Amino acid sequence: MRTRWMAQFWRMAAMAVLAAAVAQAQAPAPKPAHTPPLYTHWINYTAANGFPAGEVYCVTVDGNRVWAGTSHGLVLIENGRIRKVFTPADGLAGRVVMSVAVDHKTGSVWAATFGGLSRYSGGQFTNYTNLSSGLANDLVYAVAVQGRYVWAATAAGVSRLNTYTGDWTIYNELNSPFEEPWAYAIAVGEGKMYFGLWGGGVLVYDLAGHYWRPYTDPDESMEIVLYRNQGLIHNIVSSVAYNPGTKMFWAGTYFGLSGYDGRDWHNYLTKDSGLVSNFINGVQSRGEMVWAATQQGLSELDTKTNTWVTYRPANWAALDAAKAKEAERGEILITGPHGRKTRLETATSLAHNYILNVAFEGRDIWVATADGLSHGILQSEREEGNHESAAKRR
Amino acid sequence: MLRGTFSRRLLPLTSVLAIAGMAGLARGQAQHSPAPYASLAEKGARYAGPGREAAFDLPGPVLRIGVLAPLHGPQRADGEAILTAAGMALKDESAKPLPGGLRLALATADESVPPWGTFGDEIIHLVVEENAIAVVTSADAVSAHLSEQIGNKIGVPVLTLSTDPTTTEINLPWIFRLGPSDTVAAHAIARDIYLRRKFSRVILVAESDHDGRLGAAEFEKAARQAGAPAPIPFVAGPEPPAAGALLALIRKTSAQAVVFWARPQITGQLVRAIRQAGDSIPVYLSQESAQASSGIEFPGSLAQENGPKANTAASTVEPGGTAAAWRASFVRRYQAATGTFPSAVAAEAYDAVRLIARAVRAAGPNRARVRDQIASVRALEGASGAISFDDQGNNQAGARLVPLR
């Protein structure tokens, strides 16, 4: 009798220990102080639900419309539903769409493609190519609308279309300080245009003064960064963004992230920050936040607290190795200002860890990945409270 | 590219180092030069994207290998040499059936296509319309850069015959170079000129275009590192080369050697003018300069292991390492087919197509998996030498000098 009671006691004790261990493993880790609001819910648009398979190069939000440039056309999402996938059969200049910009005054949608520049207006496409217009090259990497002008970054310089007059202006190594002609990215600033160049750093064009200012890697070396905040990290610039709130521009490179506030440079590499990968495909900034679209996840920097948050699928390594078909749970890595790391898991995930760009819709975020488009929704205050009370209970 | 002239590169770096040195002095650390904050080339980028799944396999029984080459204009002979070599490789690889009934074919694009600005469309046609499994670019650096930009965006392996070192210094996982870079070639030439032959007065003939500027900067750097006086610059092109001016400069400076980093047809005209003037001054040609359209032939050098010991009147650079059997077979068959000796670029084109076919055999019709296979190549015997890629996609074979006729 006593033996049976003892056995039962030990069984219950073991179960209690096991239950405690499971609870410990499953409970969310406490969110560190100063962590920005987290995106904890993801809705994905992939081949599984009618979205074109493959890369999503860009995403642009226009009210309740979301435009996505993909390797298989231009996708329009309205109120969360895929409305149309435009391809060359519909009149689009090229199947591969690198960048999309909306002219909020006219409603025209501009698409930078690998077959020229397209304007979508009134349900029809008008195309501009190297042979039919002043477009410098049909390889158009980026497009931006600035007042009456449309700017296109091409493989042979920058082209500017005056939409009022139809006049084109080409800026390249023949008339501007381009080290090389390859323009890769554009951002519209306040009275300035910012261009990310392949091999030429960042070129800034003053719209009133009509002059250029180049920002290049001061050590001029492809192999090293001499000092952390020496200036631009690298002359191959994959992306550029301007933040009107902080008056800073940010440049993404394949070697790290650079920001310039008009006086000082702020550089970030994986070696001593929470940036998840130095290979940056896209960059965006608003408020105090900077987003780096890297090949190993989406890294967000809160410049005020120097806290990093990275989003990626929890099974990202299996995705890379083609050992998993799709992302399952999400992973959030938080790196505090002193390097302390916290990991959280979410029930939903970004479509892929290879991130190409981001855009914002109010508090939400849209993320272009190499295998689908993701819509991120901020953690609600209620959810956040649950996290905190769970942390306090422990 | 990306570097401008050597002086432009060096000046800012020297300034920063000088400032750093002064700061070190202030801290009593004058004996130590500062270690850089970060070394970027330590490890190349691993491709962390999708595309390896069967869903991304290219459709159809015929897989195309894209080849970019000049098919018109003054460099047509160079393009034909590349296509001849590529065709030979395709024939060799097709002798043994590929898994799944796959067949390989070449899809070509003309990089000399007029009018200006439409070359990018040719690459897009290869990659998007023809669905090329991989692309081989010519010796032209602009072709290589455009192709790697597109390859990186769309996810297509690019094997380049360009010697522009910056193509593989960008951290992109999609680019691979078959031959020695300008950096490696410049050091091989500088060693022979300055250290073995003990020359000091050297004329550097370069064009002001992308490739010329870059090659010249690398040779200037190699000369400096060899402790030699700066080479005497001579700008060739883009107008018809001023042979008289070059001959006058050779006489005026009592030059001991002339180094060429110019397009092959310009190089050929200038070298012939030197020889016709009865001057036997040694000339050294970059790999790009010594292509078929230069009219200067390799006298079977690819089949021989000549090395730099002989005091040859004309030399060029080819990949180091030995792969004698492949080399001899390729040279013999190429010569039988064309009546001419293959340039190093032609041999590399042969190897590039073989590499892609070999990768397809192992990985199937999938660009990302083919990329992984190519990246893993180590000590593969080829017509241009033994091929091993490092993490940045450089062939580690080095370079050696071979005689020209």
Side-chain angles (χ1 to χ4, degrees):
Chain A
M1 175 72 184
R2 188 179 172 192
T3 310
R4 203 164 58 221
W5 182 86
M6 282 296 286
Q8 195 173 356
F9 169 80
W10 285 116
R11 242 189 336 264
M12 287 177 67
M15 285 174 67
V17 169
L18 187 64
V22 169
Q24 178 77 15
Q26 289 182 343
K31 195 180 87 169
H34 308 302
T35 301
L38 300 176
Y39 294 95
T40 52
H41 184 63
W42 297 95
I43 299 167
N44 292 329
Y45 298 82
T46 66
N49 55 10
F51 200 81
E55 294 90 351
V56 185
Y57 296 109
C58 61
V59 57
T60 300
V61 176
D62 177 29
N64 63 349
R65 290 176 150 194
V66 175
W67 295 90
T70 79
S71 53
H72 289 84
L74 173 65
V75 183
L76 169 61
I77 296 172
E78 254 178 341
N79 299 316
R81 291 189 174 191
I82 300 167
R83 287 292 175 203
K84 174 79 178 166
V85 180
F86 297 98
T87 68
D90 301 298
L92 187 66
R95 193 187 83 188
V96 180
V97 180
M98 286 284 127
S99 168
V100 180
V102 176
D103 185 336
H104 295 289
K105 278 187 181 170
T106 65
S108 294
V109 176
W110 293 85
T113 83
F114 275 175
L117 182 66
S118 284
R119 182 181 66 181
Y120 183 68
S121 178
Q124 289 194 323
F125 283 99
T126 306
N127 293 331
Y128 303 88
T129 66
N130 175 232
L131 295 179
S132 69
S133 73
L135 189 68
N137 195 282
D138 290 345
L139 293 181
V140 190
Y141 291 116
V143 62
V145 176
Q146 173 259 321
R148 72 178 67 174
Y149 298 107
V150 172
W151 296 77
T154 84
V158 170
S159 287
R160 187 186 73 174
L161 169 65
N162 183 332
T163 58
Y164 288 12
T165 65
D167 293 339
W168 288 86
T169 310
I170 294 178
Y171 303 93
N172 58 22
E173 74 279 16
L174 300 176
N175 60 6
S176 307
F178 283 66
E179 185 88 5
E180 301 290 349
W182 304 306
Y184 228 44
I186 308 180
V188 181
E190 292 165 298
K192 291 186 172 79
M193 294 296 296
Y194 296 82
F195 301 96
L197 305 180
W198 177 281
V202 175
L203 261 186
V204 181
Y205 182 69
D206 188 287
L207 294 165
H210 305 288
Y211 62 85
W212 293 88
R213 177 156 185 193
Y215 294 89
T216 54
D217 178 355
D219 64 36
E220 296 261 337
S221 167
M222 301 285 279
E223 296 89 10
I224 63 165
V225 178
L226 197 56
Y227 289 115
R228 176 171 178 171
N229 293 320
Q230 60 176 27
L232 187 67
I233 281 181
H234 204 273
N235 280 342
I236 305 279
V237 175
S238 62
S239 49
V240 64
Y242 177 76
N243 184 329
T246 59
K247 314 283 184 199
M248 286 183 72
F249 76 78
W250 291 88
T253 79
Y254 297 129
F255 298 88
L257 176 67
S258 283
Y260 184 60
D261 64 13
R263 195 183 76 170
D264 296 317
W265 285 86
H266 307 264
N267 291 338
Y268 299 93
L269 276 72
T270 54
K271 62 179 280 184
D272 52 9
S273 79
L275 181 66
V276 74
S277 165
N278 289 330
F279 195 95
I280 298 172
N281 295 306
V283 63
Q284 294 291 348
S285 179
R286 72 171 185 175
E288 303 291 346
M289 305 299 180
V290 185
W291 280 264
T294 86
Q295 71 157 346
Q296 288 182 9
L298 175 62
S299 282
E300 174 191 12
L301 167 65
D302 184 336
T303 57
K304 205 167 183 179
T305 64
N306 196 25
T307 300
W308 287 84
V309 178
T310 290
Y311 301 90
R312 63 182 175 184
N315 64 338
W316 67 277
L319 282 177
D320 279 5
K323 288 177 181 167
K325 283 188 175 175
E326 58 186 41
E328 292 162 359
R329 292 177 66 80
E331 178 180 85
I332 301 176
L333 300 172
I334 302 167
T335 306
H338 303 296
R340 186 181 169 191
K341 293 185 185 300
T342 308
R343 181 179 181 276
L344 305 174
E345 278 205 5
T346 51
T348 53
S349 166
L350 281 161
H352 201 275
N353 55 275
Y354 197 103
I355 314 296
L356 289 156
N357 220 321
V358 298
F360 306 101
E361 181 186 10
R363 283 162 54 87
D364 290 2
I365 192 168
W366 288 82
V367 184
T369 87
D371 200 14
L373 178 68
S374 295
H375 177 191
I377 297 165
L378 271 183
Q379 180 183 38
S380 67
E381 287 178 10
R382 190 174 157 189
E383 279 179 294
E384 197 164 352
N386 288 344
H387 274 298
E388 284 173 1
S389 57
K392 278 176 190 164
R393 278 201 299 275
R394 284 201 308 280
Chain B
M1 90 150 206
L2 316 175
R3 300 193 173 205
T5 61
F6 175 62
S7 55
R8 258 193 301 153
R9 282 172 52 76
L10 188 69
L11 190 61
L13 180 59
T14 325
S15 309
V16 178
L17 283 169
I19 293 164
M22 285 188 281
L25 271 172
R27 294 193 305 271
Q29 298 173 345
Q31 300 304 312
H32 304 286
S33 55
Y37 162 65
S39 294
L40 303 176
E42 282 174 352
K43 198 171 178 201
R46 191 179 71 84
Y47 174 57
R52 295 176 176 92
E53 307 90 318
F56 289 92
D57 286 2
L58 296 178
V62 179
L63 272 187
R64 289 177 176 80
I65 297 171
V67 181
L68 296 169
L71 303 180
H72 293 90
Q75 284 196 251
R76 181 177 167 182
D78 305 328
E80 287 172 348
I82 288 170
L83 289 186
T84 300
M88 286 171 60
L90 193 72
K91 192 175 171 188
D92 290 352
E93 286 297 326
S94 299
K96 186 180 167 191
L98 270 73
L102 282 173
R103 282 182 291 122
L104 291 171
L106 296 181
T108 59
D110 187 1
E111 72 180 21
S112 55
V113 61
W116 173 83
T118 56
F119 172 52
D121 297 332
E122 294 280 310
I123 306 175
I124 289 300
H125 179 77
L126 279 185
V127 171
V128 176
E129 310 302 331
E130 300 275 8
N131 258 341
I133 184 81
V135 170
V136 180
T137 82
S138 72
D140 180 68
V142 173
S143 286
H145 277 289
L146 272 181
S147 298
E148 73 176 331
Q149 287 167 20
I150 293 166
N152 181 51
K153 293 283 188 189
I154 295 182
V156 183
V158 175
L159 285 81
T160 186
L161 313 181
S162 163
T163 55
D164 178 347
T166 65
T167 52
T168 51
E169 290 177 349
I170 298 170
N171 216 20
L172 301 184
W174 295 95
I175 179 95
F176 304 91
R177 182 186 19 262
L178 273 295
S181 70
D182 284 337
T183 313
V184 173
H187 278 91
I189 293 173
R191 269 196 306 273
D192 196 58
I193 290 177
Y194 298 116
L195 303 182
R196 192 179 69 80
R197 286 180 152 176
K198 312 287 186 196
F199 291 162
S200 57
R201 297 182 304 280
V202 176
I203 292 175
L204 173 58
V205 178
E207 286 186 85
S208 57
D209 67 353
H210 178 103
D211 289 2
R213 277 186 288 123
L214 188 69
E218 290 299 331
F219 186 73
E220 286 166 357
K221 189 159 62 176
R224 185 180 292 265
Q225 288 176 0
I232 303 152
F234 182 88
V235 178
E239 300 303 316
L246 178 59
L247 290 169
L249 186 64
I250 292 171
R251 283 193 294 272
K252 182 182 166 192
T253 59
S254 302
Q256 296 162 299
V258 184
V259 175
F260 287 86
W261 240 283
R263 276 173 294 172
Q265 68 275 19
I266 288 177
T267 302
Q269 288 175 41
L270 290 174
V271 170
R272 276 190 291 278
I274 292 170
R275 293 293 180 253
Q276 283 163 7
D279 198 328
S280 60
I281 186 171
V283 295
Y284 291 80
L285 277 57
S286 71
Q287 189 169 280
E288 185 184 6
S289 304
Q291 288 184 90
S293 65
S294 69
I296 304 169
E297 276 198 352
F298 286 71
S301 66
L302 281 164
Q304 300 167 2
E305 300 303 328
N306 218 341
K309 293 205 170 69
N311 283 330
T312 49
S315 312
T316 188
V317 184
E318 67 176 30
T322 55
W326 278 99
R327 207 177 266 249
S329 166
F330 171 71
V331 171
R332 180 173 41 78
R333 290 185 297 137
Y334 185 95
Q335 199 178 1
T338 65
T340 59
F341 290 99
S343 67
V345 171
E348 290 160 16
Y350 176 85
D351 286 342
V353 171
R354 266 195 68 223
L355 268 175
I356 295 166
R358 183 177 173 274
V360 168
R361 201 178 291 284
N366 179 290
R367 288 165 169 169
R369 297 199 304 268
V370 163
R371 188 220 78 88
D372 293 346
Q373 282 293 323
I374 294 171
S376 70
V377 165
R378 300 287 182 275
L380 177 75
E381 289 205 348
S384 65
I387 301 160
S388 292
F389 291 119
D390 65 14
D391 286 341
Q392 281 79 40
N394 300 297
N395 184 1
Q396 295 174 293
R400 62 178 174 175
L401 295 184
V402 289
L404 290 164
R405 179 163 62 195

